[in-house]
Amino acid sequence: MSTTELDVAWNLEDLVDGEGAAGVDRQLDEATSRASAFAQRYAGKVAQLDGPGLAEAMAELAAITDLVGRAGSYASLQFSADTQKPEHGALMQKVQERGTVIETTLVFFDLEWAAIDDARAEELLQADGLEQCRHHLRTARAYRPYLLSEPEEKLLAEKAVSGRDAWSRLFSELTSALQVHLPDQDEPVALDVALSRLQAGDREVRRTAAEAVTAALEPGLRTRAYLFNTLLHDKAVDDRLRGFPSWISSRNLSNEASDESVQALVDAVKGAYDIPRRWYTLKAKLLGIDRIADYDRAASVTGDEEQILWEDAKDLVLESFNDFSPVLGDTARRFFDERWIDAPVRPGKRGGAFCAYTTPTVHPYVLLNYTSLRRDVLTLAHELGHGLHAALAIPRGPFEQHTPLTVCETASVFGETLVFKRLLGQADTPESRLSLLAGNLEDGIATVFRQVAMNQFEHAVHTARREEGELSVERFGDLWHQTQHDLLGDAVELTDGYRSWWSYIPHFIGSPGYVYAYAYGQLLALSVYRRYEEEGASFVPAYVDMLAAGGSRSPEELGKIAGLDLTDPGFWTAGLGLVRQRLEEAEEAAEAVLATRG
């Protein structure tokens, strides 16, 4: 069965009680009415609330948040599954516009809450009934120095619909519509399908796939560059109005991480750039070439290109999770049994993979583009890890189900590592073992080192846009090339075509500053897994507790549940040591394979 014929499509009707688009209208109508009543009752009076009154207000805000969240999740997931249907785009636009009206109606609450005296706020936070929002209310006050007046906040929220949000949607539509003309295919294929060719064992297949991707990116390159320029300037204006000291400061605040701690992470990773360079130098030897090119980085280093059918992938992941904890195994099974997953590659479908938390009154959903490669099995495990985190944290409610981005990769990488260990245990030849170790190491390189290099690209373009004005396509290409060369050195040849590959990455557009969280989360997750290896089954309850805590505590406090000290300056160095250990294991496996090849 081909991946396009997989009958693994999600059922989104749970979000709207089986009412389809009409359910979205009903939920938004109710949310609008309740938001208006909430404003009439509380506007100008937040400072006068007592503890029980604050708890009652937060319960109503939670109900309104849930209604908007369910409507928004339905619209955005429909759009992700098929970005080319006009009705999907129209529904998402409607939700954004009506959701903004609700947001502006309620914006007074956070402003008035932030204005309350610290001592009085802390007294109120001791009240009963705030168990699902106490941490949320505390962290909301951290934004006090950067909040504007109520009319200004309302204006920014209203204009975002036709500004930042509209540009982000346009980017999704443009990249989802990309069609790549591969030389051996009669019909064009989606970008994700073409990119999967970069893992092929035949170098000519990789080279021609890369050239085809570059050709597909070229026609809309100036449009995407203009789009990126506009959003870079939009963020610069927003940061200036709010008084954020740097382009990354707002992201760090939302991640509950200091600018200094994030810089320490970036510096530690950059200081270990020798790890990817060392691997790619060895990889050239394994591939029998003098130096690999950018399109060779994901290439299989062996002839072992095992295909794993969907049902086999499902069984493998569920067994891995269940052996670790029946709680995780049973929860993961629901994603398959209750149609919370959309797996096939389809025209118009958003590329990549993600897990949407939706709201605590429903359940998470997972989107994949499954092409039956062994790496796709690890992607399934990764996104189900997110899903388990979301599902276990449902009791935390809408304000504390989500963790900061710096912690949200913990469960996904941990789940992926569980499945990797099982796959490695099943590898019965040196080539198969090397293939898995190489893939795991390269995923680590992509998640830690490449994401930090992309963070440095973001830093460069945000800085250049603020200092130089609008950036040309060539300037974007220069900055992309430079930050990638800083990572790869002379170990990898960067082709001219690769200079445009920044232009399809969604995080730069929709989530400025997001990417370093991948490195943070990966190193944290590896440290968590190491603790599991050291403690065995006795560690499992603490891990499940950490996931169930959601975002009810700071990253440092969540780490303590698993016995980790994230404030230790040596923490990142220790995590990088685990990546270096994987490199050494891969080097040992490569030596064995090279010996067999003579």
Side-chain angles (χ1 to χ4, degrees):
M1 178 183 291
S2 73
T3 55
T4 55
E5 295 171 329
L6 276 177
D7 184 21
V8 189
W10 52 29
N11 172 23
L12 300 178
E13 291 302 309
D14 292 349
L15 290 162
V16 288
D17 300 321
E19 300 174 24
V24 171
D25 288 328
R26 175 185 58 76
Q27 290 168 339
L28 292 175
D29 288 343
E30 183 180 348
T32 300
S33 175
R34 293 176 75 161
S36 178
F38 184 90
Q40 290 175 10
R41 180 175 180 184
Y42 292 108
K45 304 172 186 174
V46 176
Q48 302 165 24
L49 292 173
D50 58 11
L54 178 60
E56 185 179 355
M58 292 305 296
E60 180 60 13
L61 273 180
I64 297 169
T65 299
D66 178 68
L67 288 165
V68 176
R70 292 175 70 173
S73 296
Y74 181 85
S76 65
L77 293 177
Q78 286 272 54
F79 181 74
S80 294
D82 190 346
T83 64
Q84 301 306 300
K85 282 192 175 180
E87 60 268 32
H88 290 175
L91 182 64
M92 192 168 75
Q93 185 67 19
K94 177 198 291 187
V95 170
Q96 289 179 339
E97 292 173 1
R98 295 195 63 187
T100 299
V101 172
I102 294 167
E103 179 187 349
T104 56
T105 302
L106 300 174
V107 74
F108 75 89
F109 189 87
D110 283 346
L111 296 172
E112 292 186 33
W113 167 246
I116 294 174
D117 175 79
D118 287 341
R120 174 59 178 159
E122 195 56 37
E123 180 184 342
L124 289 170
L125 286 172
Q126 305 311 310
D128 292 336
L130 297 175
E131 290 76 19
Q132 291 184 319
C133 56
R134 195 170 279 120
H135 182 71
H136 164 78
L137 286 168
R138 281 202 178 97
T139 55
R141 293 177 59 79
Y143 286 86
R144 286 177 76 179
Y146 311 109
L147 294 174
L148 305 176
S149 68
E150 184 175 344
E152 290 170 322
E153 291 288 355
K154 286 184 174 180
L155 180 62
L156 287 178
E158 291 274 9
K159 294 296 289 181
V161 175
S162 56
R164 180 184 64 244
D165 296 344
W167 287 112
S168 185
R169 172 185 162 185
L170 176 60
F171 178 86
S172 292
E173 292 192 5
L174 291 173
T175 52
S176 296
L178 285 170
Q179 294 285 291
V180 183
H181 294 268
L182 296 172
D184 61 343
Q185 297 292 311
D186 294 333
E187 299 292 332
V189 300
L191 180 62
D192 269 31
V193 174
L195 290 173
S196 72
R197 288 279 188 106
L198 300 180
Q199 300 170 41
D202 187 328
R203 194 180 196 205
E204 185 64 13
V205 170
R206 299 193 300 270
R207 185 185 65 77
T208 56
E211 290 176 351
V213 168
T214 298
L217 292 174
E218 178 61 32
L221 188 55
R222 287 195 174 276
T223 300
R224 295 193 300 281
Y226 179 77
L227 188 157
F228 197 6
N229 265 301
T230 301
L231 288 172
L232 289 168
H233 181 62
D234 180 83
K235 186 172 189 335
V237 171
D238 200 56
D239 287 343
R240 173 172 54 79
L241 293 175
R242 295 187 179 281
F244 282 112
S246 73
W247 76 273
I248 195 67
S249 295
S250 60
R251 176 64 64 190
N252 294 345
L253 184 61
S254 69
N255 285 343
E256 299 182 51
S258 68
D259 291 4
E260 294 76 14
S261 67
V262 172
Q263 191 59 48
L265 165 68
V266 170
D267 290 344
V269 173
K270 289 175 68 177
Y273 271 0
D274 69 292
I275 292 176
R277 294 176 184 181
R278 192 164 130 192
W279 167 247
Y280 289 132
T281 299
L282 173 61
K283 186 163 193 173
K285 188 176 181 181
L286 287 164
L287 294 175
I289 54 182
D290 292 334
R291 182 171 64 142
I292 68 170
D294 47 70
Y295 54 79
D296 294 315
R297 286 176 301 157
S300 172
V301 294
T302 71
D304 180 63
E305 294 188 32
E306 181 181 346
Q307 297 281 302
I308 300 181
L309 298 177
W310 174 256
E311 286 300 319
D312 295 329
K314 168 185 170 181
D315 291 343
L316 183 66
V317 171
L318 289 179
E319 288 170 7
S320 300
F321 286 2
N322 194 69
D323 285 353
F324 174 77
S325 164
V327 172
L328 299 193
D330 291 345
T331 305
R333 185 171 294 279
R334 296 186 65 193
F335 281 77
F336 298 94
D337 293 348
E338 300 178 37
R339 294 179 59 194
W340 300 354
I341 301 175
D342 194 281
V345 176
R346 289 191 300 269
K349 183 177 178 180
R350 173 180 159 167
F354 65 79
C355 171
Y357 275 45
T358 73
T359 77
T361 61
V362 190
H363 53 75
Y365 285 92
V366 164
L367 178 141
L368 305 168
N369 280 274
Y370 193 82
T371 61
S372 298
L373 296 174
R374 192 156 51 179
R375 183 164 293 183
D376 291 332
V377 182
L378 295 172
T379 299
L380 170 61
H382 183 102
E383 298 306 336
L384 278 178
H386 282 304
L388 292 172
H389 205 165
L392 292 173
I394 279 175
R396 295 308 317 162
F399 300 121
E400 295 185 352
Q401 181 189 25
H402 286 264
T403 66
L405 291 175
T406 42
V407 182
C408 73
E409 292 298 323
T410 305
S412 55
V413 174
F414 192 93
E416 189 176 340
T417 305
L418 288 174
V419 172
F420 168 76
K421 288 290 188 180
R422 184 171 290 260
L423 285 169
L424 191 63
Q426 295 175 355
D428 54 5
T429 67
E431 296 253 334
S432 181
R433 182 174 176 80
L434 173 60
S435 176
L436 275 167
L437 284 166
N440 184 261
L441 174 63
E442 288 176 344
D443 285 345
I445 289 172
T447 306
V448 176
F449 297 97
R450 185 165 185 265
Q451 299 299 333
V452 165
M454 290 201 294
N455 162 271
Q456 294 299 281
F457 170 70
E458 280 194 285
H459 176 74
V461 296
H462 280 275
T463 302
R465 182 66 176 87
R466 296 177 188 206
E467 295 177 353
E468 303 170 15
E470 185 169 293
L471 306 179
S472 65
V473 167
E474 292 72 23
R475 183 69 170 131
F476 279 119
D478 288 343
L479 295 172
W480 176 252
H481 183 278
Q482 181 58 55
T483 51
Q484 289 291 300
H485 183 266
D486 290 344
L487 166 66
L488 302 168
D490 294 330
V492 177
E493 175 196 357
L494 296 177
T495 62
D496 287 341
Y498 189 63
R499 295 172 70 89
S500 65
W501 284 36
W502 57 269
S503 70
Y504 71 81
I505 298 172
H507 298 91
F508 299 154
I509 304 301
S511 308
Y514 180 100
V515 291
Y516 79 77
Y518 281 114
Y520 191 116
Q522 176 88 0
L523 296 178
L524 172 58
L526 290 175
S527 296
V528 171
Y529 191 84
R530 170 56 62 86
R531 187 56 58 93
Y532 166 55
E533 288 185 319
E534 293 170 351
E535 299 183 12
S538 64
F539 173 80
V540 173
Y543 176 74
V544 173
D545 286 347
M546 183 175 70
L547 300 191
S552 63
R553 310 184 198 183
S554 70
E556 288 79 9
E557 291 170 326
L558 290 169
K560 287 178 181 176
I561 297 176
L564 300 170
D565 182 5
L566 275 60
T567 64
D568 181 354
F571 178 77
W572 304 120
T573 303
L576 287 164
L578 296 173
V579 182
R580 193 175 295 278
Q581 178 182 321
R582 190 56 47 79
L583 168 64
E584 291 165 356
E585 292 172 350
E587 287 175 332
E588 183 179 343
E591 188 176 324
V593 168
L594 288 169
T596 64
R597 294 178 183 176

